[in-house]
Amino acid sequence: MKIDFTAIDHVQLTIPAGSESTARKFYGGVLGLEEIEKPDSLKPNGGVWFRIAGAELHLGVEEKSGKTKAHPAFVVGNLNSARVHLIQNGVEIKSETEIPGRQRFSFYDPFGNRIELMQFDKQD
């Protein structure tokens, strides 16, 4: 049997307890994402959710136990403009190893979560 995947519903990253305000400033303010309300049943857990490119980004409360390679990668329409915007907002950009057919870079959110942005090269 083959699983028929049709979409990504959400990506979850972690933030420390009590840092929802910082998350809102960074993800809502700097990145310009729309905050969405968490279900009442999950509100006691803390965290904050956002809408991103037809999916959701869930920031859940959890204390980190060290660095990880785990990260989401989001496709953007204009990578160079995104780079300039992030730098203007004090976000440090990290170049990534080249992959044929795509341009990309990564950065860390205020909680140490690595986020990758990429743009596919245009096909002739």
Side-chain angles (χ1 to χ4, degrees), residues 14-16 19 21-27 30-31 59 64 91 107-115:
T14 59
I15 62 175
S19 62
S21 177
T22 301
R24 286 182 175 97
K25 287 177 188 168
F26 184 77
Y27 284 94
V30 174
L31 298 185
L59 302 176
K64 295 201 182 284
V91 178
F107 60 93
Y108 287 89
D109 73 5
F111 316 104
N113 292 304
R114 179 173 162 236
I115 300 171

Side-chain angles (χ1 to χ4, degrees), residues 100-120:
R102 30 186 119 176
Q103 301 170 43
R104 66 193 192 120
F105 66 82
S106 65
F107 60 93
Y108 287 89
D109 73 5
F111 316 104
N113 292 304
R114 179 173 162 236
I115 300 171
E116 182 177 337
L117 298 184
M118 69 172 52
Q119 182 175 357
F120 291 99

Side-chain angles (χ1 to χ4, degrees), residues 1 12 15 21 23 50 55 58-59 75-76 78 81 88-90 99 101-102 112 114 118 120:
M1 179 187 152
Q12 175 139 346
I15 62 175
S21 177
F50 294 92
H58 297 177
L59 302 176
V75 178
V76 297
N78 190 326
S81 293
Q88 289 174 339
N89 281 275
I99 297 176
R102 30 186 119 176
R114 179 173 162 236
M118 69 172 52
F120 291 99

